[in-house]
Amino acid sequence: MASVRFEEVTRRYDGVVAVDELSLQIEDQEFLVLVGPSGSGKSTSLRMLAGLEEVNSGRIYIGDRVVNNVAAKDRDIAMVFQSYALYPHMSVYDNMAFGLKLRKMKPDEIRRRVEEAAHILGIEDLLKRKPRQLSGGQRQRVALGRAIVRDPAVFLLDEPLSNLDAKLRVQTRAEISKLHQRLGTTFVYVTHDQTEAMTMATRIAVLNHGKLQQVGTPQELYDAPRNVFVAGFIGSPAINFFDATVKPDGEGLVLQHAGFAVPAPADRLPQLREYAGKRVIFGVRPEDIHVAGAEPESIATAKVDATVDVVELMGNEILMYVLVGEKSVLARVGPRTQVRPGQSIGLAFDVGRLYLFDPETELAIGQPRV
Ligand code: ADP
Ligand code: MG
C-alpha cells in the first residue's frame, strides 16, 4: 500500500508538452481516476509513474520515495494495459506466473498466488487455456490477475475496459470496484470515459492538453466545476452552454441571450454585478430544463420558447432535443411527457441551478447551491 505524489511533473516530446507541470497527491488506498479526452496526457502520466517513460522535470513519489530514477521493476507497481499484452504462446497460468518466476519466487508461493487471484477473478477453470481460446472479457481478467499476483503497492490501469462490449464494460466496471475494495490497495485508473470516472473513482483528476483542470470527488466535480472544460466534460448527457450579455433589470440583472433573457441567480448577484454590460457564458444541465407547467413548484424559473426537434424515448426518461432559436438544446424530461417533433413548447430553466463562467478565463463565477 502506498500514496503517490506528482510534483510539477512535465513530459515533452519534440514540440508537444504531453504533461504540463502536473501536481497531484493520491492518497493510500484511493481509487483515483485520471480522465480527459484523447491526447490529454493520461497515458503519459501513468507511464511516467510506472517508470516506462522518462520525466523531463519535477518529481514523482511512491510513498516517501522519489522514484524518478528507480527502474520500473523496482517500483512495486503493477500495470494493466488496454491491449492486455498477454503472451500468446503461454497458458493463462503461465501468463500470471511469469512475472513472479522472473523474480525467482518459490514455486509453492507462485502457485498459491496464481490460484488465489484466479479464485478472486472467477477464472479457475481457464488456467490451462491459451489467450486465443479466451473471450475479450476473460483475457481482461487474466491481465488483471497478472497484476494481482504481484501484490503491488499501487495498481495502474490504462483504459482496461476499452476493448469490451458495452454490457461487459458495465459489469467489469463493478467488478474492478469490488476488487479495489477487497484488495484495499491504491488504484490509479486512466480512462477517456466520464461515466467510468464517475462510477468508479473515489476522486477524479481531469486533464486537458496535459494540464490538470480540477481534482475532486465525482459529486464535487459535477456540482462545482471550476471551469468551462470540466462543466462540459463531466455529466452525461452534457450540459448546455449559452453566450449571454449581463444587463441591468430593476434591482437585479438578466442574462440576455439572442431571443430570450434569464434572470440572474439571486445568490450570485454580487459576483455578477461587475459583469454588467459584459459577456458571460451560462450553462444549464439537461435535468434542470423542465417543460413549462411541469416544473417543481419550489424553484425559480426562466421561461424559454422552443421547438421540439428530436425525441428519444429511454423508458425511464425522455431525452428531448429542442431548438431555441438556431441553437440545439438537450432536456431530460419525464417518460410520460407528451411531445412530438415540430411541436412548439415552453421550457422552464431552473435559475438557481445555472452555472456561470467568465468567457475570457473560462473560470466559474460562483457555483449553484446544491
Ligand atoms: P492520452 O493517454 O490522454 O490519450 P497521451 O498521454 O498518450 O494521451 O499523449 C499525450 C500527448 O503526447 C499527445 O499529444 C500525444 O500525441 C503525445 N505523445 C504521446 N506519446 C508520444 C511519443 N512517444 N512521441 C511523441 N508524442 C507523443
Ligand atoms: Mg492513452
Side-chain angles (χ1 to χ4, degrees):
M1 290 190 279
S3 60
V4 168
R5 185 152 94 243
F6 290 84
E7 240 177 45
E8 298 181 1
V9 172
T10 295
R11 172 68 184 165
R12 282 178 225 96
Y13 300 105
D14 25 41
V16 185
V17 185
V19 177
D20 195 354
E21 302 205 343
L22 174 64
S23 291
L24 176 63
Q25 169 81 34
I26 302 168
E27 303 301 337
D28 185 24
Q29 303 193 25
E30 246 198 304
F31 196 123
L32 188 286
V33 177
L34 271 177
V35 73
S38 177
S40 55
K42 307 179 298 291
S43 293
T44 305
S45 302
L46 203 67
R47 291 171 58 81
M48 286 191 289
L49 174 54
L52 302 174
E53 201 78 58
E54 201 189 317
V55 175
N56 291 134
S57 61
R59 273 194 291 256
I60 299 180
Y61 292 78
I62 297 178
D64 298 329
R65 181 164 73 137
V66 177
V67 294
N68 289 42
N69 296 315
V70 176
K73 67 176 179 41
D74 299 324
R75 291 194 185 192
D76 201 9
I77 50 109
M79 186 147 169
V80 178
F81 299 89
Q82 176 179 349
S83 65
Y84 312 146
L86 301 177
Y87 298 109
H89 58 284
M90 286 187 196
S91 68
V92 166
Y93 182 95
D94 288 334
N95 262 287
M96 285 166 67
F98 186 68
L100 305 182
K101 282 183 188 159
L102 280 187
R103 269 150 225 265
K104 312 242 183 305
M105 191 176 279
K106 292 207 180 76
D108 286 356
E109 177 63 10
I110 294 178
R111 175 155 295 278
R112 192 189 67 74
R113 288 194 183 199
V114 171
E115 282 171 358
E116 188 185 339
H119 175 70
I120 290 173
L121 296 164
I123 53 172
E124 297 106 314
D125 300 341
L126 307 177
L127 289 173
K128 292 202 173 80
R129 292 205 200 166
K130 297 278 171 62
R132 69 182 143 73
Q133 297 168 307
L134 302 175
S135 70
Q138 290 168 333
R139 279 180 214 174
Q140 204 273 345
R141 263 161 234 258
V142 177
L144 277 173
R146 198 174 42 181
I148 293 171
V149 296
R150 301 266 305 278
D151 191 21
V154 186
F155 276 89
L156 309 182
L157 303 101
D158 192 347
E159 312 246 11
L161 307 185
S162 298
N163 293 339
L164 305 181
D165 66 48
K167 191 167 172 204
L168 199 53
R169 210 152 53 218
V170 171
Q171 186 188 330
T172 314
R173 200 163 81 193
E175 282 172 13
I176 293 179
S177 293
K178 259 192 276 178
L179 189 64
H180 170 249
Q181 284 162 25
R182 173 162 185 169
L183 299 175
T185 307
T186 313
F187 276 49
V188 186
Y189 185 104
V190 160
T191 179
H192 65 277
D193 180 348
Q194 74 88 36
T195 307
E196 267 176 40
M198 291 297 277
T199 51
M200 300 172 86
T202 50
R203 283 190 314 150
I204 299 174
V206 183
L207 284 177
N208 191 31
H209 297 310
K211 286 200 174 69
L212 182 63
Q213 305 291 308
Q214 189 171 4
V215 189
T217 65
Q219 202 65 50
E220 281 164 0
L221 297 198
Y222 191 82
D223 290 337
R226 70 177 290 275
N227 62 25
V228 170
F229 181 81
V230 176
F233 195 79
I234 299 290
S236 174
I239 194 168
N240 302 286
F241 288 118
F242 298 85
D243 293 316
T245 305
V246 180
K247 293 197 167 155
D249 178 51
E251 296 289 283
L253 297 167
V254 293
L255 309 173
Q256 180 72 52
H257 178 76
F260 70 93
V262 174
D267 55 339
R268 274 161 293 158
L269 274 179
Q271 291 115 304
L272 270 177
R273 296 238 181 254
E274 57 187 278
Y275 285 88
K278 298 193 187 138
R279 286 159 34 77
V280 293
I281 297 169
F282 71 87
V284 197
R285 295 209 184 269
E287 65 267 33
D288 297 323
I289 301 179
H290 306 278
V291 173
E295 71 270 31
E297 275 175 23
S298 56
I299 62 171
T301 60
K303 297 291 188 295
V304 177
D305 293 327
T307 307
V308 179
D309 192 15
V310 176
V311 177
E312 291 182 350
L313 306 175
M314 307 298 287
N316 62 332
E317 63 183 5
I318 292 175
L319 297 182
M320 182 173 75
Y321 294 82
V322 300
L323 291 169
V324 177
E326 307 264 279
K327 195 177 158 55
S328 180
V329 172
L330 177 59
R332 286 171 67 180
V333 298
R336 316 281 169 217
T337 311
Q338 295 295 321
V339 279
R340 53 185 163 69
Q343 183 184 337
S344 296
I345 192 171
L347 301 176
F349 287 11
D350 184 342
V351 171
R353 297 285 314 149
L354 293 185
Y355 293 80
L356 297 165
F357 303 93
D358 182 311
E360 303 288 320
T361 63
E362 301 203 340
L363 293 174
I365 306 167
Q367 296 290 353
R369 221 174 277 144
V370 198

